[in-house]
Amino acid sequence: MTDTTKTAVAEQDKRGIGDAIRSWWDGLSRPGQWAVGIPVIAVLALLPLFPPPLLDTPGASFAGVMAQFAMYALIAIGLNVVVGQAGLLDLGYVGFYAVGAYTVGLLTSPNSPWNQTDGGWLEPGWAWVACLPLAVALTAVAGLILGAPTLRLRGDYLAIVTLGFGEIVRLMADNLGDLTNGSLGLSKISYPEVGESETKPGGFFSPGNLGDPDSWNPFTRASNGAWWFWLGLALVVVVLLVIGNLERSRVGRSWVAIREDEDAAEIMGVPTFKFKLWAFVIGASVGGLSGAMYAGQVTYVNPKQFDIILSMLFLCAVVLGGSGNKLGVIVGAFLIAYLPVRLQSVQLVSNESTGYLLLAVDVAVLVGLWLLWRWRGNTLGVWATRAVTTGAVVAVILGLLLLGSVLLHRQGGAQSLGDLKYLYFGIALVVMMILRPQGLFPVRQKLLTYGRQVYQAVRKPAELIGARR
């Protein structure tokens, strides 16, 4: 074995599990990737029907949580186009989500003066299906209207404008009472009326479809949440295919150039404004698609469901999963949708004495970290310094939470971890910025044009290299 071969093998051994899986996946042909991906999608489709004990959500429908995850995954993919691919900071993405939801609500709710299902041009049975492309189109137009005058701005200025857009949409929905029914919202929104029978009078997607947990027939066992998850999973696959093809085209290469250095891209002849507007419109349309799904599933929308905090959660999903990585942001969307529901029935401490014990341990850990920093701070490496800093931040926040739980126990109650979702997502972002700012699954830059052919021709197993030498 030559020295070159030994070096190649050593570099492969140093790779992490994620890099090894990524290299294996990139080495597969397109049919091979489909051969692996289809069984994985099938397993995911079965999760709402047979939830694993460790993943199941006590006190809430796991199928409903998975349906929410599918909608959040669509949002994360759309926002990733804007933030991860084109590098545009959008803090008001919830506005597009609201436009998609209200488009369906205004056209199908009996509370709306624009209702078209009561003698109008929409048949109630297929009203939601007909409104879906309308919601996507109108949201894309909203993205065009917002992006055309504002995408000349950059950085913080663009973030402030988009933040204002999200609030404007919410306030309009709240104040246009004659049209949107104000804070009372729009109820009885249409949904796909498919599979109606005596046992399921509203069909598979009806909120009244609770499924039969004793049946082994997947179509009988599935509740409405499972059906919405299956529909969302299909839409996620379609959107991934479309956006993946865009990324490998001239559009995707332009997005990467703009994200890395907009001025350099402009000098090299890239029409930056045009492609930024492309990203904004495509991201908005995907957000509108998710909003239409949300309106159909819950059959009710009101302005409080689209506050700015929800927009921050969407951005958190992209940052945590890995900005620019489509599969990474889907994992981030799962964390955002699943963890608050899973922790809703979990208390930080079970009783007051346990709270005091954990508080004492937390104080001891904090003191130990302070002493370590005081005596050996100058000799610590980069990662050790980051670990000590992160541990101190977590210890301080955990101590405050424990103190609050102890005080609540004195009043006969306790704090549920599900109510603290904004806090621990914020902590996760702080820790991520210190230790892994690129996210859980960072994007890897590679050739976009003929990337697969070049990869297979250049990156060959070390054994073949050694054999040829």
Side-chain angles (χ1 to χ4, degrees), residues 132-152:
L132 191 65
L134 288 176
V136 173
L138 289 177
T139 315
V141 171
L144 181 64
I145 294 174
L146 173 65
T150 61
L151 286 179
R152 305 288 182 185

Side-chain angles (χ1 to χ4, degrees), residues 84-355:
Q85 295 295 325
L88 307 173
L89 185 55
D90 187 352
L91 299 182
Y93 195 74
V94 71
F96 301 125
Y97 185 54
V99 170
Y102 266 96
T103 299
V104 179
L106 289 172
L107 293 176
T108 63
S109 172
N111 305 123
S112 168
W114 291 359
N115 177 27
Q116 299 297 322
T117 60
D118 187 13
W121 54 273
L122 285 177
E123 177 68 25
W126 51 267
W128 183 87
V129 178
C131 289
L132 191 65
L134 288 176
V136 173
L138 289 177
T139 315
V141 171
L144 181 64
I145 294 174
L146 173 65
T150 61
L151 286 179
R152 305 288 182 185
L153 303 174
R154 299 186 188 180
D156 298 339
Y157 301 102
L158 179 61
I160 292 172
V161 171
T162 55
L163 181 67
F165 168 75
E167 282 296 286
I168 288 172
V169 172
R170 184 184 65 83
L171 292 174
M172 286 180 62
D174 198 6
N175 292 320
L176 297 177
D178 294 337
L179 180 63
T180 63
N181 206 24
S183 59
L184 298 178
L186 303 173
S187 60
K188 298 181 180 180
I189 297 174
S190 294
Y191 53 85
E193 297 181 8
V194 179
E196 294 181 339
S197 63
E198 294 182 358
T199 57
K200 295 180 174 63
F204 296 137
F205 293 90
S206 168
N209 177 20
L210 302 179
D212 184 4
D214 297 327
S215 174
W216 286 94
N217 184 347
F219 300 109
T220 305
R221 185 184 182 92
S223 64
N224 72 313
W227 284 96
W228 280 107
F229 172 68
W230 292 340
L231 177 59
L233 191 62
L235 292 176
V236 166
V237 172
V238 172
V239 171
L240 283 177
L241 289 175
V242 173
I243 292 180
N245 287 328
L246 283 174
E247 288 180 359
R248 290 184 290 271
S249 68
R250 179 170 177 251
V251 176
R253 297 194 298 275
S254 300
W255 287 342
V256 173
I258 293 170
R259 181 188 64 199
E260 297 301 325
D261 194 324
E262 185 174 347
D263 292 328
E266 188 78 36
I267 293 173
M268 295 302 293
V270 177
T272 56
F273 177 78
K274 169 186 172 182
F275 287 109
K276 286 195 298 182
L277 194 58
W278 262 98
F280 224 70
V281 171
I282 292 171
S285 61
V286 177
L289 177 64
S290 180
M293 280 194 61
Y294 173 76
Q297 185 192 5
V298 301
T299 68
Y300 173 76
V301 292
N302 75 338
K304 293 182 180 179
Q305 296 168 333
F306 307 103
D307 57 7
I308 195 62
I309 300 298
L310 188 60
S311 192
M312 298 300 106
L313 280 181
F314 296 158
L315 186 61
C316 183
V318 175
V319 174
L320 286 178
S323 181
N325 188 337
K326 298 187 295 297
L327 296 181
V329 300
I330 291 176
V331 175
F334 177 76
L335 296 177
I336 295 299
Y338 171 76
L339 283 182
V341 181
R342 181 64 180 85
L343 298 177
Q344 192 64 46
S345 59
V346 178
Q347 295 179 355
L348 190 61
V349 294
S350 57
N351 52 64
E352 187 176 350
S353 58
T354 303

Side-chain angles (χ1 to χ4, degrees), residues 388-434:
V388 170
T389 304
T390 303
V393 172
V394 172
V396 169
I397 297 175
L398 185 60
L400 294 175
L401 291 177
L402 287 169
L403 181 61
S405 295
V406 169
L407 296 177
L408 285 172
H409 266 296
R410 288 185 175 181
Q411 300 173 7
Q415 180 69 60
S416 169
L417 288 182
D419 298 332
L420 304 173
K421 59 181 179 180
Y422 301 115
L423 178 62
Y424 55 72
F425 283 140
I427 296 173
L429 286 176
V430 171
V431 174
M432 194 68 80
M433 292 302 102
I434 296 174

